[in-house]
Amino acid sequence: MAHQTIIVLDFGSQYTQLIARRLRELSVYSEVWPPDTPLEKIRARRPIGVILSGGPKSVSDPGAPKCDPGVYALGPPVLGICYGMQLMADALGGAVAPAPQREYGHATVRVGGASSTLLADVPPEIRVWASHGDFVAAAPDGFSVLATSANAPVAAMQDSDRHLYALLFHPEVVHTERGTEILRNFAYGICGCTGDWTMASFVEETTARIRAKVGGGRVICALSGGVDSTVAALLIHRAIGEQLTCIFVDNGLLRLDEAAQICKRFARLSLPLVFVDASQMFLDRLRDVTDPERKRKIIGATFIEVFEAEAAKLGHAEFLAQGTLYPDVIESVPIVGQASLIKSHHNVGGLPERMRMTLVEPLRELFKDEVRLVGRALGLDEEFVVRQPFPGPGLAVRILGAVTPERLTLLRKADAVVAEEVKRDGWYTRLWQSFAVLLPVQSVGVMGDERTYEYTAAIRAVESRDGMTADWARLPHDLLARISSRIVNDVKGINRVVYDISSKPPSTIEWE
């Protein structure tokens, strides 16, 4: 079944993926494409709408990304957001100039002027999220101004005859009031979407795609025990049955008693599982490695080596399945549009060129909360569905500095305390992630009248909708006090606990 599709052309905004995410929340299928996609390819896809994303450049910069100007006359409605608005104005004869006062963060927009379906039912004044140094000084001929702000004479505009619309702010960001309603107005009121994309339809179509791609081949699925790889395995098993073999690798970087727990859980799901204890291999290769990127690449390469060795034992397998998600891809490499590298991810970075298996990544264009919905649609136990994300490189990226057996033991015990206490107070499912980090910092303490010189643990707890942005959680002081007291008293080797109050951005959720 061909879904109604809105194509998002990506000009490099860190929020681009959120546009697609919000549309999918509205049951509208969306794909993110590079900005220089040929017009004929866009036309052949027959989108019901096109969105031009934001981006870090100025339209006047040499080499600033641009789309084919034929997009504006393609037929389906076009919505420009921030840089996309400036690009539209510049291409169609408007005036774009450096703003006398840049707007980054919260801004107030006053809605007024021409009536518009785009801003239907939006109050006269809303707080929005802005991120621009340029502004539209004059709208192109044929455009009406729909909204203004203190620093922008044109905060929203439209040419309804040509089905062109634009916003100088980001409706996809949660900080913009009525942002979802504005995107709904565009998708449903202007483009005529009917909301034909659901998780149930995703399951059916993905199952068919896997079956077509794999044919009669064999697939090895990398199981980590988290919701991503679990859902990926269930989808693939649904598609090809006994052609799938799941491999769980104990890399020595897991949480307390996690390997044994995972084996028991997957036995209940009746997934064909091979257990491999490669912990010593990983720890040997990580010895004395302190650079985070080197850690990730070593772990990624070792994973693939283990899978290839197991494939040889099992007989020839042509495909390797992974639970890679959209944020993994976007944060790792500039695959789509102009996005810049933040960090490599073990699923999409550090893979040796000699890898002899073809990747199967059924969740590659989903966000974490969408994966949870797919899990529920597949009948997955709630225990799996609500599991917090855990990084592929495991505790290696939560130990700053060298990874040693002794430091792993300290972190496992501290992390177990965090998990137990957060669950006990009913915070586990309210948080995106909560965990401990072991810092390469020792400080003086006093225990039982004796001087200690031991490590510091940092506690990280964040709230988020999709992992693209996150805010530090305001955990109750009593809960934090209990976590700190238990770690210091129960984990010999840690005598100080601190709480991380950094948001993403500018920080990342993981420390490495």
Side-chain angles (χ1 to χ4, degrees), residues 414-464:
D415 190 71
V417 169
V418 174
E420 289 168 15
E421 294 298 333
V422 164
K423 287 177 180 176
R424 189 170 90 167
D425 269 27
W427 272 86
Y428 185 83
T429 55
R430 295 171 59 182
L431 296 171
W432 180 261
Q433 279 177 273
S434 52
F435 54 88
V437 179
L438 189 68
L439 305 185
V441 174
Q442 291 177 282
S443 62
V444 174
V446 177
M447 290 187 180
D449 296 327
E450 291 187 4
R451 178 186 184 276
T452 62
Y453 191 63
E454 296 176 340
Y455 285 104
T456 298
I459 308 305
R460 183 72 158 143
V462 298
E463 295 176 297
S464 176

Side-chain angles (χ1 to χ4, degrees), residues 28-221:
V28 175
Y29 185 64
S30 178
E31 294 178 355
V32 178
W33 289 15
D36 55 357
T37 300
L39 190 64
E40 284 310 309
K41 184 176 179 181
I42 298 174
R43 181 180 284 114
R45 188 65 176 82
R46 301 180 66 184
I48 199 167
V50 176
I51 294 180
L52 313 179
S53 83
K57 300 285 190 182
S58 168
V59 293
S60 59
D61 286 347
K66 304 216 171 143
C67 61
D68 188 315
V71 164
Y72 306 115
L74 191 62
V78 179
L79 173 64
I81 295 175
C82 199
Y83 177 89
M85 174 183 184
Q86 297 161 26
L87 191 66
M88 181 185 292
D90 183 66
L92 298 177
V96 178
Q101 181 67 44
R102 294 181 169 194
E103 287 185 326
Y104 292 104
H106 285 292
T108 299
V109 163
R110 289 178 294 279
V111 177
S115 63
S116 173
T117 302
L118 184 65
L119 300 180
D121 300 321
V122 174
E125 190 170 285
I126 56 171
R127 278 171 61 78
V128 303
W129 191 257
S131 180
H132 60 91
D134 291 348
F135 73 150
V136 176
D141 289 344
F143 278 78
S144 303
V145 176
L146 306 178
T148 62
S149 73
N151 299 309
V154 187
M157 64 182 190
Q158 72 174 17
D159 182 338
S160 54
D161 291 339
R162 288 189 283 176
H163 311 296
L164 302 176
Y165 303 82
L167 303 166
L168 197 58
F169 54 89
H170 291 272
E172 71 275 19
V173 176
V174 294
H175 305 296
T176 293
E177 294 173 351
R178 305 297 183 93
T180 299
E181 285 86 341
I182 293 170
L183 287 174
R184 182 187 289 113
N185 288 341
F186 178 71
Y188 284 84
I190 294 171
C191 297
C193 292
T194 57
D196 65 351
W197 194 69
T198 64
M199 287 301 107
S201 68
F202 172 84
V203 169
E204 293 303 322
E205 290 157 23
T206 301
T207 301
R209 278 200 300 270
I210 294 168
R211 205 172 280 137
K213 179 173 184 175
V214 171
R218 295 191 62 188
V219 180
I220 291 178
C221 182

Side-chain angles (χ1 to χ4, degrees), residues 280-297:
Q280 196 58 53
M281 179 190 298
F282 280 86
L283 293 178
D284 287 346
R285 293 183 180 184
L286 288 169
R287 184 176 292 123
D288 300 325
V289 176
T290 59
D291 179 72
E293 280 297 293
R294 279 197 64 210
K295 287 182 186 178
R296 287 176 177 272
K297 291 190 181 297

